[in-house]
C-alpha cells in the first residue's frame, strides 16, 4: 500500500518575450550585480582596515569603483591647471589613466553571468538561438545599475597630482553588457547543447570544441598559478624580499597583499602567455609604454632594463603543453575515430586561443600614479593579438595530440548525432 502524498505539478517556465525580459533584468540584478557589489564593498572595507589609506566613509565609493573595475571600466584622471584655477585638463594629456579588471571580481562576473544565463534559458532547450538570446538578457540587469552608480564615483590622489579620477560612463554601459551578455549567452547555449548536437556532426564538433577549449584554458590558468607557487618556493631570495617589503611598509604592505591576491588571475594569465613565449620575462619586455622600463629598473636597483630567464625556466613550457593535451582529450571524447577526434581537438585549440586573447586584454593593468616619475603610464601585460595567434599554435597542436588519448565512441559520429 503506497502512501498517498499529493503530487505537485511542475509549472513550465514562461518563455514569452516580455516575461523573459523581466526575469532577465531581475536575474542580472540579483544574481550578478548584487554579489559583485557586495564583494566590492567588502574589498574596500578590508583595504581600509589593513591600510587606513582613506576615511571610513570613503569605503563605499571605493567599493563602487571596485565593482566597476570587475569589467575593466576605464578611469580617467583630471588635474588642476594651476592654483585656484577651476578648469581641468584631460588626463590623457598627462597619461593618467587607470585600466584594470580585478581578476577575482572578473571571474565572479563570468561565473555568475553564466549561471544566470543558464537559469534564464530554461524551457528553451530545443531552440539554441532563442536560448542564447534569453541567456544574454541578464546583462540588462547588470548594466543598468552599473551606469547608475558610475557618475557617483569620484576618487582623488592629490599626492600624485590627480584631483579627480572618474569612470568613463559609456564604458560602464557597454562593458557590462558585453561581458555579462556574452557569458550569459554561453550559459543559454549550454542549456541547449543537446539540440545543437542533434543538428549534425558540426554541432557535435563545436560542442566538443567548446568543452575542450574551456577545459584547456582553465587548466592553463591553474597550472600557471601552481607554477608561480613552485617558483616562490624555489626562489627564497625573491620571496623573502617580497615579505620584507610588505613588513616594512606596514599598512600599505598589507593592502598590497590584498590587492595582489585579487589580481592573481591577472598574474596567472600573464604567466600563461609568457610560458607560450608571447613575451620574455624582462622589465622592458612586458609591453610597457614610454620610459617605464628604465624607470622600473632604476626603482628596483636593477643593473639593466632586462632580466632574462634562467635555463630551468623552460619548464614553464609544460604549462600550455599540458593544458592543450588536457583540452584535446576532453574535446575528442566519444569522437568515434581518430580523424574525428583530431578535428575536434584542433577546433578546441581555436576556442582556447580566443579565450587566451580575451584574457590577455582583460588582464593588462595600466596605473597612473607613477606617471610623473616614469614619464608615462605603467602598463603591465601582453599584446592580445600576439597572444591569440601564438595560443592558436599551442592549442591546435596540443589539442590534436591530446585528442589521441580520448576515449572514443563507436561509429563515425557521436552518440546520438546523425551522420551527414
Amino acid at each position: 500500500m503506497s502512501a498517498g502524498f499529493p503530487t505537485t505539478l511542475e509549472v513550465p517556465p514562461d518563455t514569452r518575450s516580455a516575461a523573459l525580459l523581466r526575469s532577465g533584468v531581475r536575474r542580472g540584478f540579483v544574481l550578478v550585480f548584487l554579489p559583485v557589489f557586495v564583494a566590492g564593498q567588502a574589498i574596500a572595507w578590508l583595504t581600509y582596515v589593513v591600510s587606513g589609506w582613506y576615511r571610513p566613509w570613503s569605503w563605499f565609493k571605493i567599493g563602487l569603483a571596485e565593482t566597476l573595475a570587475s569589467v575593466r571600466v576605464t578611469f580617467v584622471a583630471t588635474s588642476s591647471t594651476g592654483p585656484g584655477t577651476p578648469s581641468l585638463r584631460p588626463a590623457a594629456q598627462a597619461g593618467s589613466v587607470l585600466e584594470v579588471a580585478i581578476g577575482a571580481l572578473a571571474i565572479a562576473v563570468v561565473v555568475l553571468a553564466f549561471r544566470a544565463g543558464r537559469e534564464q534559458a530554461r524551457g528553451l532547450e530545443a531552440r539554441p538561438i532563442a536560448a542564447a538570446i534569453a541567456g544574454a538578457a541578464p546583462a540588462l540587469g547588470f548594466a543598468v545599475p552599473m551606469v547608475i552608480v558610475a557618475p557617483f564615483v569620484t576618487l582623488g590622489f592629490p599626492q600624485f597630482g590627480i584631483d579627480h579620477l572618474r569612470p568613463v560612463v559609456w564604458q560602464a554601459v557597454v562593458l557590462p553588457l558585453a561581458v555579462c551578455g556574452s557569458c550569459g549567452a554561453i550559459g543559454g547555449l549550454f542549456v541547449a547543447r543537446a539540440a545543437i548536437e542533434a543538428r549534425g556532426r558540426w554541432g557535435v564538433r563545436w560542442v566538443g570544441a567548446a568543452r575542450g577549449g574551456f577545459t584547456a584554458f582553465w587548466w592553463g590558468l591553474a597550472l600557471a598559478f601552481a607554477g608561480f607557487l613552485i617558483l616562490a618556493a624555489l626562489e627564497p631570495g625573491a620571496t623573502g624580499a617580497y615579505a620584507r617589503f610588505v613588513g616594512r611598509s606596514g599598512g600599505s604592505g598589507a593592502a598590497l597583499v590584498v590587492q595582489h591576491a585579487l589580481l592573481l588571475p591577472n598574474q596567472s594569465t600573464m604567466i600563461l602567455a609568457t610560458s607560450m613565449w608571447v613575451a620574455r620575462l624582462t622589465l622592458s619586455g612586458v609591453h610597457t609604454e614610454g620610459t617605464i622600463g628604465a624607470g622600473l629598473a632604476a626603482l628596483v636597483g636593477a643593473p639593466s632594463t632586462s632580466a632574462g630567464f634562467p635555463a630551468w625556466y623552460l619548464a614553464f613550457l609544460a604549462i600550455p603543453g599540458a593544458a592543450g593535451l588536457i583540452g584535446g582529450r576532453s574535446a575528442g571524447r566519444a569522437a568515434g575515430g581518430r580523424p574525428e577526434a583530431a578535428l575536434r581537438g584542433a577546433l578546441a585549440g581555436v576556442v582556447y586561443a580566443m579565450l587566451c586573447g580575451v584574457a590577455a586584454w582583460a588582464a593588462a593593468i595600466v596605473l597612473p600614479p607613477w606617471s610623473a616619475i616614469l614619464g608615462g603610464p605603467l602598463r603591465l601585460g601582453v599584446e592580445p593579438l600576439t597572444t591569440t595567434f601564438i595560443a592558436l599554435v599551442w592549442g591546435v597542436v596540443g589539442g590534436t595530440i591530446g585528442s589521441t588519448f580520448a576515449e572514443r565512441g563507436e561509429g563515425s559520429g557521436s552518440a546520438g548525432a546523425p551522420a551527414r
Side-chain angles (χ1 to χ4, degrees):
M1 183 175 180
S2 61
F5 293 108
T7 59
T8 58
L9 296 177
E10 183 177 352
V11 179
D14 191 345
T15 57
R16 292 175 298 177
S17 299
L20 287 174
L21 181 61
R22 289 194 301 268
S23 61
V25 172
R26 183 179 66 253
R27 284 194 171 99
F29 179 76
V30 175
L31 299 182
V32 184
F33 176 77
L34 280 183
V36 176
F37 168 79
V38 172
Q41 296 300 316
I43 293 168
W45 180 255
L46 178 61
T47 304
Y48 162 73
V49 170
V50 300
S51 68
W53 278 350
Y54 39 84
R55 295 180 179 89
W57 55 83
S58 297
W59 63 267
F60 181 76
K61 183 170 58 173
I62 300 290
L64 293 179
E66 300 272 7
T67 304
L68 292 169
S70 66
V71 289
R72 199 179 174 78
V73 173
T74 300
F75 287 75
V76 178
T78 52
S79 304
S80 302
T81 56
T85 303
S87 60
L88 300 174
R89 57 191 174 92
Q93 298 177 4
S96 296
V97 176
L98 173 65
E99 297 180 17
V100 57
I102 300 177
L105 287 180
I107 290 179
V109 171
V110 169
V111 173
L112 293 173
F114 174 84
R115 295 180 63 182
R118 188 179 60 187
E119 294 299 318
Q120 182 71 10
R122 298 296 182 190
L124 297 170
E125 292 84 356
R127 300 160 56 193
I129 296 178
I133 296 174
L140 294 173
F142 182 52
V144 170
M146 291 281 271
V147 73
I148 290 175
V149 304
F152 298 97
V153 179
T154 302
L155 309 177
F157 298 93
Q159 65 271 38
F160 298 117
I162 299 175
D163 296 333
H164 302 282
L165 190 63
R166 297 188 178 97
V168 179
V169 176
W170 69 265
Q171 291 189 12
V173 180
V174 173
L175 291 177
L177 283 175
V179 175
C180 186
S182 58
C183 295
I186 293 173
L189 291 174
F190 177 82
V191 171
R193 65 190 183 280
I196 298 174
E197 291 178 333
R199 295 193 173 190
R201 286 185 178 178
W202 279 104
V204 178
R205 286 166 179 167
W206 281 115
V207 169
R211 180 177 61 244
F214 276 94
T215 300
F217 177 68
W218 288 117
W219 268 97
L221 292 181
L223 292 173
F225 179 65
F228 162 71
L229 296 179
I230 294 173
L231 181 63
L234 295 178
E235 294 286 351
T239 305
Y242 181 84
R244 288 191 295 273
F245 172 78
V246 171
R248 289 196 306 266
S249 302
S252 297
L256 173 65
V257 172
V258 172
Q259 297 302 317
H260 188 182
L262 295 171
L263 293 173
L264 283 176
N266 304 59
Q267 175 182 282
S268 297
T269 299
M270 296 179 194
I271 293 175
L272 176 60
T274 303
S275 68
M276 294 187 291
W277 282 0
V278 173
R280 292 180 63 241
L281 187 61
T282 64
L283 292 178
S284 61
V286 196
H287 293 273
T288 56
E289 298 174 359
T291 58
I292 183 64
L296 276 177
L299 286 176
V300 301
S304 67
T305 59
S306 64
F309 284 124
W312 66 268
Y313 271 45
L314 291 174
F316 274 85
L317 292 173
I319 293 175
L325 292 175
I326 295 172
R329 184 177 185 276
S330 177
R333 189 179 305 157
R338 182 164 302 200
E340 179 68 20
L343 177 59
R344 296 185 192 182
L347 291 174
V350 176
V351 176
Y352 167 76
M354 294 173 60
L355 292 173
C356 286
V358 172
W361 166 79
I365 301 172
V366 180
L367 299 174
W370 297 276
S371 299
I373 301 174
L374 301 174
L378 173 62
R379 186 180 192 279
L380 300 175
V382 291
E383 175 60 37
L385 285 179
T386 303
T387 301
T388 301
F389 286 123
I390 296 181
L392 181 64
V393 176
W394 280 94
V396 170
V397 173
T400 303
I401 297 174
S403 65
T404 62
F405 301 99
E407 298 177 0
R408 301 188 187 92
E410 298 180 356
S412 59
S414 158
R420 291 185 181 178

